[in-house]
Amino acid sequence: ARTTLRAASSSPRARKRQNLAEFTSMLSEELTQAAGESFHEGRKYAERTLRQAKSLIEDHFQIDEAFRMLGPLRQDSNLARDVHDWFNLVALIPVIVFNFWNWECFNWRTGCGIFQGKSVVNMWTGEYFLLFWWTTLVYFLLDMAWMLIVPQCVKSPKVILQHHLVTLGYIMVPYLKPRYGWLMGACMIVEVNTWFLIARRSFNKKGDRMFTTGVSLTKSLRLLAVSSCFYITWFVIRLGFYPYLFVVIVWEVYIYSMEVGTIFHIVTITPIMQIVFIVLNAKWTIDLIRSKIKGRGTSKGL
């Protein structure tokens, strides 16, 4: 029996099956190892990609590799950026002022009536809408041209140019449908926060922390005022007013759709765009809070 078994195992067919089993086992081990290496490389690439995908917060605060906020961002020497910042600080003023000229508010204590059920639509007069619209258009066109000619004036010119293009498309809705001028005015209120965002960087290029040794009281008070206005307008406008505005937009789109008998019209894109803005604001706010929490433990400037 043993002789027969040895003869059977040494036959060409048995050796072939044995070789096939060994080959299959070896191939399985190679595939497992290759898959493991690919997963490891893929994870490293994903982590590197995510790390390179800068948050808006990183453009204005000093953030370490662990995403801890270390304090105000110390600005390097960049004349192109400084001039562009001051252009925005000056050019945004008429945009903001002309926008507010189109609104009326009878009682600030009630949030101009919002807390009493009055819609933002009813507060829009539109008396200076064309002045506001053309000023906004010129501002965005000049800013785009500036970045195309001097791209080093900003850290991410491609992203900002895409944002400006989308905004230009968005403001065409109230231009073509003047009854929705309030929509442009309401969305553009966020430029108040943008102004303070740029101001905190321009007024504190050295990244000084207020009320610390070597920082004058005057500068500390100025930084405190700008930073406080920045945080207040950030949370009130981006996290409070924009979600509220989404509800108003959806209702107004519904009314208009009933009037024209279809949902396929230019106004339909407005709630979609508003959702994009809300998601971006939420993402940037999470980044801001997360970096603050991680950096807690030592004194941080606002």
Side-chain angles (χ1 to χ4, degrees):
R2 291 183 178 178
T3 305
T4 303
L5 183 59
R6 284 196 299 269
S9 61
S10 61
S11 64
R13 182 176 297 178
R15 287 196 300 271
K16 184 176 181 180
R17 285 198 299 269
Q18 184 180 3
N19 292 337
L20 180 60
E22 292 175 353
F23 174 75
T24 303
S25 177
M26 182 176 63
L27 180 61
S28 176
E29 292 177 0
E30 290 291 336
L31 289 175
T32 302
Q33 183 180 358
E37 293 176 354
S38 298
F39 174 78
H40 181 67
E41 290 297 324
R43 185 176 63 180
K44 288 174 59 180
Y45 175 77
E47 291 175 350
R48 185 168 59 251
T49 302
L50 287 172
R51 187 61 202 143
Q52 290 174 350
K54 292 174 65 64
S55 167
L56 172 70
I57 304 304
E58 295 180 86
D59 288 338
H60 300 274
F61 295 91
Q62 187 178 352
I63 306 294
D64 67 6
E65 289 297 320
F67 211 78
R68 290 188 295 263
M69 184 181 293
L70 304 179
L73 181 64
R74 182 181 294 273
Q75 301 293 333
D76 56 354
S77 179
N78 187 337
L79 180 61
R81 181 203 58 224
D82 294 344
V83 175
H84 182 253
D85 279 351
W86 280 103
F87 160 74
N88 278 278
L89 289 174
V90 173
L92 280 174
I93 291 177
V95 172
I96 294 171
V97 171
F98 294 160
N99 184 11
F100 280 108
W101 281 3
N102 287 280
W103 298 92
E104 62 179 7
C105 181
F106 300 105
N107 192 343
W108 288 99
R109 296 179 180 178
T110 62
C112 297
I114 291 179
F115 300 148
Q116 295 180 336
K118 187 176 182 180
S119 173
V120 66
V121 181
N122 304 126
M123 294 186 292
W124 175 260
T125 66
E127 186 175 357
Y128 301 97
F129 171 69
L130 286 179
L131 175 63
F132 168 52
W133 191 88
W134 281 107
T135 302
T136 303
L137 177 68
V138 171
Y139 162 71
F140 280 115
L141 290 177
L142 286 176
D143 200 39
M144 290 176 65
W146 196 312
M147 286 182 286
L148 287 172
I149 297 173
V150 191
Q152 65 269 27
C153 68
V154 293
K155 289 186 176 181
S156 306
K158 183 178 179 180
V159 174
I160 300 178
L161 285 170
Q162 290 173 345
H163 170 271
H164 283 11
L165 284 173
V166 172
T167 303
L168 286 175
Y170 201 21
I171 68 175
M172 291 306 298
V173 174
Y175 184 77
L176 298 174
K177 301 286 184 179
R179 64 185 282 185
Y180 295 105
W182 61 268
L183 176 59
M184 175 181 172
C187 289
M188 289 295 291
I189 290 177
V190 77
E191 298 305 328
V192 175
N193 178 252
T194 301
W195 193 93
F196 285 112
L197 184 68
I198 298 172
R200 342 178 39 255
R201 179 177 64 197
S202 298
F203 297 168
N204 191 18
K205 296 184 184 300
K206 296 181 180 180
D208 293 331
R209 297 176 181 177
M210 63 189 76
F211 304 112
T212 57
T213 303
V215 180
S216 66
L217 178 61
T218 302
K219 183 174 183 179
S220 294
L221 292 174
R222 183 174 70 246
L223 295 179
L224 176 62
V226 173
S227 291
S228 298
C229 290
F230 162 72
Y231 283 109
I232 292 172
T233 55
W234 178 287
F235 286 96
V236 171
I237 298 175
R238 295 183 185 270
L239 298 186
F241 185 65
Y242 262 48
Y244 157 78
L245 190 58
F246 172 74
V247 177
V248 178
I249 291 173
V250 170
W251 177 248
E252 291 297 321
V253 170
Y254 170 76
I255 294 176
Y256 185 73
S257 298
M258 292 298 100
E259 292 179 1
V260 299
T262 178
I263 63 172
F264 300 104
H265 48 76
I266 189 173
V267 187
T268 304
I269 68 170
T270 56
I272 300 174
M273 295 302 302
Q274 195 66 19
I275 289 177
V276 173
F277 294 147
I278 292 173
V279 171
L280 284 175
N281 289 333
K283 191 267 182 189
W284 293 331
T285 303
I286 292 172
D287 289 344
L288 179 63
I289 295 175
R290 182 162 61 97
S291 63
K292 278 282 188 182
I293 292 176
K294 285 190 174 184
R296 190 173 53 187
T298 57
S299 177
K300 313 293 180 200
L302 281 175

